[in-house]
Amino acid sequence: MKDSLRIIVPILLIGVVTLFLLSCSSKPVTTVTVDGSSTVYPITEAVAEEFQKENKGIRVTVGISGTGGGFKKFYGGEIDITGASRPMKKIEQEECAKNGIEFIELPVAYDGLAVVVNPQNDWCKSMTVAELKKLWAPEAQGKITKWSQIRAGWPDENIRLYGAGVDSGTYDYFTEAIVGKEHSSRGDFTASEDDNVLVQGIAGDKYALGFFGLAYYEENKDKLKLVAIDNGKGAVYPSLETVKNGTYQPLSRPLFVYVRKDALEKKPEVKAFVEFYLKHAGKLSKQVGYIPLPENVYALVEKRVANLKTGTVFSGSKVGVSIEQLLSK
Amino acid sequence: MKQHDNDDLTFISIDRKIEKAFIAIMAIAVTIPLVIMVMLLIDTFIDGSGRLNVDFLTSFPSRFAESAGILSPLVGSGILMVLTALFAVPVGIGAAVYLEEYAGKTRLSSFIEINISNLAGVPSIIYGLLGLGLFVRYMQLGRSLLAGALTLSLMALPMIIIASREAIRSVPRELREAAYALGADKWMTIKKIVLPMSLPGILTGIILSLARAIGETAPIITIGALTYVAFLPDSVMSPFTALPVQIFNWISRPQTEFHINAAAGIIVLLVVMLLMNSLAIILRYRLQRRIQ
């Protein structure tokens, strides 16, 4: 008798605890679910943090599935909002349409993509877009292997390339802007989803060249050297000013969040979160290392939300077209 | 004849030399991983110890590295571990007892045995994908603590079963026979003799496999652990985050202050795992003494 009690009591305890835990789940909580790009994540985290300070009853959860992974959950109807470091692709729009999900596209900040080399590299001060294309195009694989092949006079040494992982929005944007075709580049470079790995790689290799978000350069200025980009109008270094005023082209990109239209209409907490996001995105994006959009652009975006204007204006748009032009269409 | 003896002697001295060289090589082989591990640990402690304080343990994640904490990931990992134990332990011990005591040596049981051994070697991300398909999507549990714990239990199960079987097998045959001789039936023998005797081994297996489970990142990221969660879970259906996910996020941030947070998070995770391992050792020691 005593022994069977010894077995039954723990089982009962386990059952009670489980039931207790399960019963709590019926409590209604309003949650805003966000997922998507790891590049946009720091901004969304900052917004969520501030938003929850002011709105105690609303929970915001943010995941990192990457731009593509976020879109998958978005058109699967699993989340309200997704962050993206590139515009939604045609194929993703088709999936949304198939699942009856209408969305509103909101640019929230700028990010500059920096092309960087080792500080010991004293020859490469600027590169033209054509030179970058020559270096990164799929045809370059196995052929363009030495610095001297990019520009006469540069050393006859093997060049080692570092870049964002091929599943990232950053890679998609870089290839679109430089090679001219999204998701198409040579394959023989060191790719990593973790930009700090790229920073370390380039910092330890005199003949390296790589690209990643400007914030990673800003934090590692002593270990890296920026390359100015010449798009035909003179060489420009990426900086807060040159990204914001549109002179650092074509490697300035807007960052987005996409919101489901029905969530915006039916869930007041999503609407409140999105409005809060746009109101504070300028200040908060700067705090976490990105470049705010001009004030009038935030006003235009707020208007898009107010009018529930669906669809994308950025997808398929030419790299370098001003954001105001696109939004006022 | 004399010549022959000399040959033998030289052979022996060559053998001795080889043996010495072998020992030296083995010693180096032990030293290399130890040195690397100690260096990694020291590096992490130097980076992270400054950030370790009560605030770090009791604050939610934040965009300000200095005020960011690991409360929600720590609690998330803790609940995951408790739930995982709830699911994996009864099933694991049950399976081990069945396979050792009841199943016999049929084709089916050896088939199961091979499969369990193989499952113990399956990469954790595969369990993540299985969890995503089975628990999150098919059973509609969503990206919840429950789905995460079930996935981790699947991962922990093979190790628990194998460790428990080893422990059960090591119970001396004479003890069982003595129990039978006293008129105990099979169930009584298992309950009174086999399980108590093998408990230290079983517990060690359980705790080690749970310690491995809470350190895993891949499966819980796959089933959809979130990164920013600024509330504590209030039910098993709640969305969650866990220590490895938060550490991973901080490491990939550009700002060095976040890397320091990551180091501090690693220390917390290490301490949790060390505590679990020492618990395993203490339990083992005490129970073994009791048995003797």
Side-chain angles (χ1 to χ4, degrees), chain A residues 302-320:
Chain A
E302 274 171 23
K303 221 159 85 189
R304 271 185 97 77
V305 174
N307 298 338
L308 292 173
K309 197 155 180 187
T310 56
T312 164
V313 291
F314 287 89
S315 178
S317 73
K318 268 182 72 175
V319 164

Side-chain angles (χ1 to χ4, degrees), chain A residues 105-182:
Chain A
E105 176 185 59
L106 318 166
V108 291
Y110 279 126
D111 182 26
L113 285 186
V115 175
V116 294
V117 291
N118 189 279
Q120 283 179 292
N121 177 329
D122 52 6
W123 58 92
C124 182
K125 296 190 173 65
S126 76
M127 284 180 91
T128 66
V129 176
E131 283 168 338
L132 278 172
K133 180 174 179 176
K134 189 177 168 193
L135 179 60
W136 282 96
E139 307 84 72
Q141 177 148 354
K143 287 196 190 119
I144 310 290
T145 55
K146 287 182 187 315
W147 279 95
S148 54
Q149 287 172 294
I150 307 167
R151 194 185 287 180
W154 283 357
D156 193 28
E157 294 282 349
N158 280 336
I159 183 166
R160 279 176 290 272
L161 296 169
Y162 294 81
V166 296
D167 285 330
S168 66
T170 307
Y171 173 79
D172 283 345
Y173 188 86
F174 183 84
T175 47
E176 165 90 46
I178 295 299
V179 180
K181 189 161 173 264
E182 193 174 86

Side-chain angles (χ1 to χ4, degrees), chain A residues 262-283:
Chain A
D262 54 347
L264 209 52
E265 285 171 322
K266 285 177 204 139
K267 292 169 82 176
E269 65 273 17
V270 173
K271 188 162 189 280
F273 181 72
V274 168
E275 281 166 0
F276 189 93
Y277 204 128
L278 291 172
K279 210 166 130 202
H280 299 278
K283 193 183 92 204

Side-chain angles (χ1 to χ4, degrees), chain B residues 10-290:
Chain B
T10 43
F11 270 131
I12 289 168
S13 71
I14 287 171
D15 264 0
R16 287 247 168 88
K17 273 180 194 152
I18 291 175
E19 191 190 359
K20 271 188 183 159
F22 186 74
I23 292 172
I25 292 169
M26 294 302 116
I28 293 168
V30 175
T31 322
I32 292 172
L34 262 180
V35 167
I36 293 174
M37 203 183 74
V38 168
M39 271 165 55
L40 273 175
L41 282 178
I42 290 174
D43 190 48
T44 309
F45 269 87
I46 290 173
D47 284 349
S49 51
R51 272 297 279 127
L52 272 182
N53 50 38
V54 180
D55 280 347
F56 185 70
L57 295 178
T58 55
S59 307
F60 288 113
S62 160
R63 70 181 181 284
F64 299 113
E66 313 80 49
S67 57
I70 51 162
L71 182 60
S72 45
L74 188 60
V75 171
S77 279
I79 297 179
L80 269 185
M81 207 159 60
V82 172
L83 286 175
T84 305
L86 278 184
F87 300 131
V89 170
V91 179
I93 298 180
V97 169
Y98 175 77
L99 285 173
E100 274 308 309
E101 301 289 331
Y102 291 98
K105 270 264 167 258
T106 62
R107 274 226 182 121
L108 180 69
S109 72
S110 59
F111 178 73
I112 293 173
E113 203 175 324
I114 292 168
N115 274 293
I116 290 171
S117 310
N118 282 337
L119 280 176
V122 168
S124 57
I125 187 140
I126 306 292
Y127 286 102
L129 291 171
L130 175 66
L132 180 70
L134 184 64
F135 301 125
V136 176
R137 301 244 163 92
Y138 183 72
M139 285 167 71
Q140 302 268 317
L141 293 175
R143 296 168 194 277
S144 59
L145 274 168
L146 187 61
L150 284 169
T151 308
L152 289 180
S153 335
L154 283 188
M155 208 187 76
L157 256 183
M159 274 173 74
I160 294 180
I161 296 176
I162 291 171
S164 306
R165 290 189 65 184
E166 289 295 333
I168 291 170
R169 213 174 295 159
S170 67
V171 175
R173 212 188 148 79
E174 294 81 13
L175 282 175
R176 292 167 209 243
E177 279 164 1
Y180 289 138
L182 289 173
D185 60 6
K186 194 157 192 174
W187 168 233
M188 280 295 269
T189 313
I190 292 170
K191 202 175 80 177
K192 292 275 187 187
I193 305 291
V194 176
L195 278 184
M197 287 290 289
S198 52
L199 202 55
I202 293 177
L203 277 174
T204 315
I206 289 169
I207 291 173
L208 290 181
S209 63
L210 285 182
R212 183 192 158 208
I214 68 154
E216 278 292 350
T217 325
I220 49 174
I221 284 192
T222 321
I223 66 128
L226 295 156
T227 312
Y228 180 77
V229 175
F231 53 85
L232 295 180
D234 56 3
S235 81
V236 290
M237 299 309 284
S238 177
F240 70 101
T241 183
L243 280 174
V245 180
Q246 185 62 55
I247 293 168
F248 181 67
N249 169 249
W250 277 336
I251 284 178
S252 63
R253 296 288 273 265
Q255 293 84 4
T256 16
E257 299 84 58
F258 281 112
H259 301 167
I260 293 169
N261 280 6
I266 291 169
I267 297 175
V268 173
L269 186 60
L270 274 178
V271 168
V272 172
M273 287 172 77
L274 276 179
L275 282 179
M276 289 183 70
N277 286 352
S278 30
L279 186 72
I281 294 167
I282 292 169
L283 277 176
R284 193 192 183 112
Y285 178 71
R286 294 201 131 191
L287 288 169
Q288 259 169 357
R289 262 212 332 207
R290 203 192 66 192

Side-chain angles (χ1 to χ4, degrees), chain A residues 40 62 73 89 106 114 142 167 189 195 247 255 271-272 317 323:
Chain A
V40 186
V62 192
K73 287 187 185 171
K89 289 180 190 171
L106 318 166
D167 285 330
F189 67 97
D195 290 346
T247 50
L255 302 176
K271 188 162 189 280
S317 73
I323 205 164

Side-chain angles (χ1 to χ4, degrees), chain A residues 29-218:
Chain A
V29 268
T30 52
T31 310
V32 180
T33 50
V34 191
D35 212 309
S37 162
S38 60
T39 311
V40 186
Y41 172 81
I43 309 176
T44 308
E45 182 195 48
V47 175
E49 190 182 352
E50 289 303 311
F51 180 75
Q52 286 179 114
K53 270 186 204 157
E54 288 185 20
N55 302 272
K56 292 277 182 223
I58 305 175
R59 293 166 158 191
V60 183
T61 63
V62 192
I64 300 182
S65 303
T67 300
F71 278 135
K72 259 185 210 147
K73 287 187 185 171
F74 187 73
Y75 61 64
E78 293 182 46
I79 49 174
D80 301 319
I81 298 169
T82 188
S85 59
R86 56 161 172 81
M88 194 187 271
K89 289 180 190 171
K90 198 114 239 157
I91 185 161
E92 290 158 344
Q93 294 167 37
E94 282 160 12
E95 287 291 335
C96 280
K98 213 161 56 184
N99 297 327
I101 286 172
E102 287 187 285
F103 60 88
I104 297 162
E105 176 185 59
L106 318 166
V108 291
Y110 279 126
D111 182 26
L113 285 186
V115 175
V116 294
V117 291
N118 189 279
Q120 283 179 292
N121 177 329
D122 52 6
W123 58 92
C124 182
K125 296 190 173 65
S126 76
M127 284 180 91
T128 66
V129 176
E131 283 168 338
L132 278 172
K133 180 174 179 176
K134 189 177 168 193
L135 179 60
W136 282 96
E139 307 84 72
Q141 177 148 354
K143 287 196 190 119
I144 310 290
T145 55
K146 287 182 187 315
W147 279 95
S148 54
Q149 287 172 294
I150 307 167
R151 194 185 287 180
W154 283 357
D156 193 28
E157 294 282 349
N158 280 336
I159 183 166
R160 279 176 290 272
L161 296 169
Y162 294 81
V166 296
D167 285 330
S168 66
T170 307
Y171 173 79
D172 283 345
Y173 188 86
F174 183 84
T175 47
E176 165 90 46
I178 295 299
V179 180
K181 189 161 173 264
E182 193 174 86
H183 212 79
S184 144
S185 80
R186 66 192 298 167
D188 51 350
F189 67 97
T190 306
S192 174
E193 301 293 338
D194 182 353
D195 290 346
N196 290 310
V197 172
L198 305 176
V199 169
Q200 274 168 13
I202 300 164
D205 183 349
K206 189 178 172 186
Y207 299 103
L209 179 141
F211 67 89
F212 41 72
L214 191 53
Y216 287 86
Y217 166 74
E218 296 287 343

